[in-house]
Amino acid sequence: MALVSCCSPHSLLSSIPYSSAILSSTKPSRIQITATSPPSSFPMDHHDKKRRNLTDFPYVSAAHRNLMINLISTVENRLGSHLLPCSLPPDVQYFENQTRTAQASLQIRPGRKSSLIDLIMGSWIHCELPSGALNITSFSAYLTALTDAPNFLFELIVSSPTSLVLILDLSPRKDLVLHPDYLQTFYEDTRLDAQRQTLEKLPEVQQYISSSLFIRCACSPTAIMIKVDAGEHGSNRMEEIIEDNIAVAAEEVLGIWLNQCACVERDIGESEGGELETRDRMFRNKTIEVDLGSSFPRLFGPDIANRVLEAMRNAFRV
């Protein structure tokens, strides 16, 4: 989930504040699921018609919405037995400011005890800014200290019908210089860089270089960080790019994460597991205390901000 501070989004969903840095500086087989059929783990609340749900994705295009639902459904279909239901209170699963110029939905499903899955999170945010509407959708999955495998991160930041920023990465949890076998296993042998290279060949695509040094050092060397501008070709061309290119890359990277990271046990010693826990906690704490602590009150007011941040702290265990 992403939030806005001084008209500059801050990422809640990822453990790294990608959205903040991005906008402040400014065909394999797939599961076909319609936007009207959300996954069962994110049920509609028929007692509150006004409360929007995660899989509504109400302010984005059809291709964008279907992509997000497909990602969530793929993970739930594969890892459902390892996940617990979302237990966030209703006023954290959906919240808005008094003027409804900022709305957000958040879902967190923790992993079962002894599972390699720590939690999965999905979110969307809609914010009406002086420059126009900003829509950000995010989905990420985190692993426990029982494995050192990378986490999964996907985020689409749409500033207009013809302009977006894509973040797609398997975020490393170890130093790739000190652990060349980790680089080989998760990034070289899987040929992750091919997805970035394919997308960057599109004439509408430019590489995005974050202004945040923290983000640059936290990303993998195969991270996809691009700007897409459909320009005079319009929103129809953007829909084609999302459906035919971005969705394909996202599903390929997610498939690698599911097959090579989320469902494969690795030999992790007790001391190494402790180091992983410390590293993971530092990343999550930075998001909540530094990023969200300043952006939430400005966007939603102190009461809502405190409520959501406390729920985040509990989910993140920080």
Side-chain angles (χ1 to χ4, degrees), residues 124-175:
W124 59 260
I125 183 170
H126 170 76
C127 185
E128 297 174 14
L129 302 175
S131 58
L134 177 70
N135 291 292
I136 305 176
T137 61
S138 304
F139 182 68
S140 59
Y142 297 85
L143 299 177
T144 71
L146 295 174
T147 177
D148 60 0
N151 295 321
F152 174 81
L153 172 65
F154 178 88
E155 191 164 66
L156 270 182
I157 305 161
V158 179
S159 55
S160 80
T162 61
S163 179
L164 63 78
V165 170
L166 166 67
I167 305 297
L168 176 60
D169 195 21
L170 297 189
S171 306
R173 297 167 67 211
K174 298 182 73 169
D175 189 308

Side-chain angles (χ1 to χ4, degrees), residues 128-287:
E128 297 174 14
L129 302 175
S131 58
L134 177 70
N135 291 292
I136 305 176
T137 61
S138 304
F139 182 68
S140 59
Y142 297 85
L143 299 177
T144 71
L146 295 174
T147 177
D148 60 0
N151 295 321
F152 174 81
L153 172 65
F154 178 88
E155 191 164 66
L156 270 182
I157 305 161
V158 179
S159 55
S160 80
T162 61
S163 179
L164 63 78
V165 170
L166 166 67
I167 305 297
L168 176 60
D169 195 21
L170 297 189
S171 306
R173 297 167 67 211
K174 298 182 73 169
D175 189 308
L176 301 182
V177 174
L178 294 178
H179 303 277
D181 56 328
Y182 192 94
L183 177 67
Q184 180 78 37
T185 298
F186 294 114
Y187 301 102
E188 295 182 355
D189 291 348
T190 57
R191 301 188 70 249
L192 269 175
D193 208 36
Q195 303 304 317
R196 178 190 60 80
Q197 293 171 358
T198 298
L199 284 173
E200 291 186 356
K201 290 178 181 178
L202 295 174
E204 297 87 353
V205 168
Q206 290 183 325
Q207 183 183 11
Y208 175 78
I209 300 176
S210 173
S211 61
S212 168
L213 296 179
F214 178 78
I215 289 178
R216 294 186 207 174
C217 73
C219 289
S220 79
T222 62
I224 298 173
M225 302 181 70
I226 59 173
K227 295 184 292 185
V228 183
D229 187 355
E232 61 183 12
H233 299 291
S235 58
N236 288 339
R237 174 56 180 156
M238 183 62 79
E239 287 284 89
E240 292 176 357
I241 293 173
I242 292 175
E243 183 175 0
D244 298 335
N245 303 106
I246 292 177
V248 170
E251 291 159 6
E252 180 68 22
V253 174
L254 179 59
I256 292 172
W257 182 80
L258 287 169
N259 293 326
Q260 304 294 328
C261 303
C263 299
V264 178
E265 295 185 0
R266 288 173 58 83
D267 186 14
I268 302 298
E270 183 176 346
S271 61
E272 187 174 0
E275 293 176 357
L276 283 169
E277 287 184 348
T278 300
R279 186 181 189 279
D280 292 343
R281 190 179 304 114
M282 290 178 63
F283 271 67
R284 300 176 188 190
N285 187 66
K286 179 178 177 66
T287 297

Side-chain angles (χ1 to χ4, degrees), residues 4-21:
V4 176
S5 174
C6 300
C7 297
S8 154
H10 289 249
S11 173
L12 165 63
L13 195 53
S14 59
S15 58
I16 312 168
Y18 287 111
S19 307
S20 172

